[in-house]
């Protein structure tokens, strides 16, 4: 089995990177990607707890440059150290990991900035509201490791706390992602529970069942509505929306969670995630309704973020083509209207990262743009960034850029346009 999880040790800056094809002239900005990268000499542990490293790939005028830096945490004992996601909000790059507050970085240098955030756990998957500019967040185990408390809140477009509340979950669950609509906040509580407060130790407890908490944005925690949900697991939610009667969201669902053992130490499941649509009635407590979207095996679902919280047609994701291989080998586009999948296979031994959608230009129609993904294969001299036409994924990359070193398997990232960076830096 080939993996791409070995650490790298160098922080480097490189300009004038070479590649294949022609980079789109309108692609101007930086792809920030975060992932766990254990420092050489540190003890081996769960993949999720390596030190965070930001990889920044910048595009302008058909040229490309690269910079990577360790994320320096606020406290050196912080487990995981901001290693899961990188997003841009209120002038700072936020390095995120769900057990601790965000680490604020200067986008141009990847060094610590002066921004500060509310203390306590803060999800790696906050949701930007494209209409209000708010960043909606949550944190599980909000009263300490193993606690059932969940905090929900929002930062306004300037980065100030505009709302916060708390409620108690049925048990201390690893709540990795949430669904946010124009009016509501929905958090699935799956029975992947913390077994030890001293170590990063979670186990699958299907006897506890699953639940869905739904709360009005800006509301009080004592008004949470609870719904019975299927006893499955999901790491990531692609998007959510609502009409007058129901709240809907799409997620990649596993029968049992990979990467974590069962309650009696059984080895982690090898089951694959498949795209499903969950929905609940907003005027009663009927159980979650489940609809299969496709039989593909996928993960890391992303959308055109300008459609966040509203209806949409496309999910961009990684896809597993070869059942006996770990990781993901393909980039895919799931068309929700047609129920079809358009994908490009990089080969059996490839390691393909989450695709990030970039609009072709600021006012482009929905889903008119490019997909960016970091790719590695054992026969590559290094990792590369592949650029796809988002409407023609099966045609393969329109261009690719060879990076100066291998990028280990990571988790999530964001693209920040030059015009946004320039506007924030000039404030």
């Amino acid at each position: 089995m080939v993996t791409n999880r070995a650490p790298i040790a160098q922080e480097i800056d490189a300009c004038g990177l070479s590649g294949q094809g022609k980079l789109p002239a309108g692609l101007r900005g930086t792809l920030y990607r975060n992932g766990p990268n254990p420092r050489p000499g540190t003890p081996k542990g769960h993949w999720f707890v390596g030190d965070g490293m930001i990889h920044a790939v910048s595009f302008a005028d058909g040229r490309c440059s690269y910079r990577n830096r360790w994320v320096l945490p606020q406290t050196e004992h912080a487990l995981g150290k901001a290693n899961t996601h990188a997003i841009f909000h209120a002038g700072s790059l936020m390095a995120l990991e769900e057990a601790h507050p965000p680490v604020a970085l200067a986008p141009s240098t990847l060094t610590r900035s002066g921004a500060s955030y509310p203390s306590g756990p803060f999800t790696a998957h906050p949701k930007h509201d494209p209409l209000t500019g708010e960043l909606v967040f949550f944190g599980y185990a909000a009263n300490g490791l193993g606690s059932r408390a969940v905090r929900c809140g929002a930062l306004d477009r300037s980065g100030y706390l505009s709302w916060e509340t708390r409620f108690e979950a049925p048990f201390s669950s690893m709540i990795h992602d949430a669904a946010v609509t124009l009016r509501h906040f929905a958090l699935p509580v799956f029975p992947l529970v913390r077994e030890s407060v001293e170590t990063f130790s979670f186990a699958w407890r299907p006897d506890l069942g699953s639940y869905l908490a739904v709360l009005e944005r800006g509301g009080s925690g004592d008004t949470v509505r609870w719904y019975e949900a299927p006893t499955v697991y999901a790491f990531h939610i692609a998007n959510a929306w609502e009409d007058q009667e129901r709240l809907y969201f799409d997620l990649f669902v596993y029968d049992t969670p990979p990467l974590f053992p069962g309650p009696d130490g059984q080895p982690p499941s090898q089951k694959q995630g498949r795209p499903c649509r969950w929905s609940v009635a907003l005027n009663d407590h009927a159980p979650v309704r489940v609809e299969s979207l496709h039989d593909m095996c996928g993960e890391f679902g992303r959308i055109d973020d300008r459609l966040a919280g509203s209806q949409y047609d496309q999910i961009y994701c990684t896809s597993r083509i070869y059942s006996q291989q770990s990781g993901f080998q393909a980039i895919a586009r799931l068309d929700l209207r047609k129920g079809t999948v358009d994908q490009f296979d990089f080969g059996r031994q490839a390691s393909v990262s989450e695709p990030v959608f970039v609009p072709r230009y600021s006012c482009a129609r929905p889903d008119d743009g490019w997909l960016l993904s970091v790719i590695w294969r054992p026969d590559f001299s290094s990792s590369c960034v592949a650029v796809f036409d988002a409407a023609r994924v099966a045609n393969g990359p329109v261009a690719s850029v060879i990076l100066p070193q291998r990028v280990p398997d990571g988790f999530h990232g964001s693209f920040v346009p030059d015009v946004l960076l320039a506007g924030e830096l000039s404030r």
Side-chain angles (χ1 to χ4, degrees):
M1 180 178 67
V2 176
T3 65
N4 184 35
R5 297 181 184 175
I8 61 174
Q10 289 183 303
E11 295 182 333
I12 62 175
D13 295 78
C15 299
L17 302 181
S18 61
Q20 298 177 335
K22 184 178 181 180
L23 287 171
L27 186 60
R28 303 180 61 88
T30 300
L31 173 67
Y32 296 99
R33 186 172 176 275
N34 198 356
N37 189 28
R39 295 175 188 266
T42 58
K44 290 185 177 180
H46 196 283
W47 178 36
F48 285 7
V49 300
D51 293 352
M53 176 173 275
I54 304 291
H55 303 264
V57 185
S58 298
F59 302 86
D61 302 321
R63 299 189 299 272
C64 188
S65 62
Y66 169 83
R67 167 179 287 157
N68 70 309
R69 294 291 187 272
W70 300 101
V71 179
L72 299 179
Q74 294 178 354
T75 55
E76 287 299 326
H77 70 275
L79 193 66
K81 299 179 181 176
N83 67 10
T84 309
H85 202 353
I87 67 169
F88 184 75
H89 185 70
S92 289
L93 189 70
M94 301 171 73
L96 301 167
E97 176 268 331
E98 60 200 48
H100 300 91
V103 175
L105 305 174
S108 58
T109 62
L110 305 184
T111 57
R112 289 284 295 274
S113 78
S116 61
Y117 303 106
S119 61
F122 189 107
T123 177
H125 291 287
K127 308 296 184 180
H128 270 121
D129 185 327
L131 298 180
T132 67
E134 281 187 306
L135 186 69
V136 184
F137 69 89
F138 71 95
Y140 67 86
N143 289 342
L145 295 179
S147 71
R148 297 186 296 120
V150 179
R151 66 193 288 246
C152 303
L155 304 180
D156 66 19
R157 63 173 67 249
S158 297
Y160 296 104
L161 186 67
S162 59
W163 165 57
E164 183 173 8
T165 191
R166 296 187 180 219
F167 64 88
E168 293 280 315
F171 43 83
S172 183
S173 166
M174 176 185 278
I175 308 174
H176 187 66
D177 204 351
V180 177
T181 67
L182 299 181
R183 296 189 298 121
H184 289 91
F185 198 1
L187 293 94
V189 179
F190 299 114
L192 183 61
V193 300
R194 182 175 285 276
E195 288 204 315
S196 169
V197 297
E198 285 80 26
T199 63
F200 187 80
S201 177
F202 289 83
W204 180 238
R205 289 283 310 278
D207 55 297
L208 297 175
S210 291
Y211 303 88
L212 180 69
V214 177
L215 175 68
E216 287 192 13
R217 287 173 54 177
S220 171
D222 59 12
T223 63
V224 168
R225 298 170 62 90
W226 287 100
Y227 298 83
E228 180 183 344
T231 304
V232 295
Y233 191 76
F235 287 108
H236 301 117
I237 296 171
N239 193 27
W241 77 98
E242 64 184 271
D243 55 28
Q244 293 299 314
E245 297 182 352
R246 302 188 71 83
L247 182 152
Y248 306 83
F249 58 98
D250 296 339
L251 64 172
F252 285 84
V253 170
Y254 299 81
D255 293 336
T256 56
L259 305 175
F260 292 95
D264 299 319
Q266 303 99 321
S269 168
Q270 299 301 313
K271 299 285 188 179
Q272 306 306 315
R274 300 187 186 276
C276 293
R277 174 164 296 167
W278 284 17
S279 69
V280 290
L282 293 170
N283 57 0
D284 66 36
H285 291 274
V288 170
R289 180 190 298 172
V290 178
E291 173 190 356
S292 174
L293 294 176
H294 200 276
D295 62 359
M296 69 172 293
C297 296
E299 248 300 358
F300 297 112
R302 296 291 294 264
I303 64 163
D304 180 341
D305 288 331
R306 297 172 299 171
L307 301 174
S310 59
Q311 285 190 270
Y312 65 113
D313 292 330
Q314 311 294 332
I315 295 176
Y316 308 104
C317 62
T318 57
S319 175
R320 181 169 295 175
I321 303 293
Y322 307 98
S323 60
Q324 300 305 311
Q325 295 293 112
S326 63
F328 303 94
Q329 301 85 38
I331 293 294
R333 175 176 64 95
L334 172 57
D335 189 311
L336 299 173
R337 290 183 298 107
K338 299 177 181 178
T340 58
V341 169
D342 175 28
Q343 61 185 354
F344 182 81
D345 179 6
F346 280 92
R348 182 178 294 273
Q349 293 188 309
S351 180
V352 175
S353 75
E354 170 192 69
V356 176
F357 178 85
V358 181
R360 195 173 301 273
Y361 47 90
S362 61
C363 297
R365 70 181 187 277
D367 297 299
D368 179 17
W370 302 288
L371 297 179
L372 307 182
S373 177
V374 178
I375 314 296
W376 180 82
R377 284 194 339 210
D379 59 323
F380 286 4
S381 61
S382 182
S383 297
C384 73
V385 176
V387 182
F388 290 83
D389 182 333
R392 299 172 180 83
V393 173
N395 290 352
V398 299
S400 61
V401 175
I402 300 170
L403 300 180
Q405 61 185 346
R406 181 177 56 81
V407 176
D409 283 343
F411 298 123
H412 305 285
S414 303
F415 185 85
V416 184
D418 273 356
V419 64
L420 183 57
L421 286 172
E424 291 291 347
L425 293 175
S426 66
R427 293 172 66 179

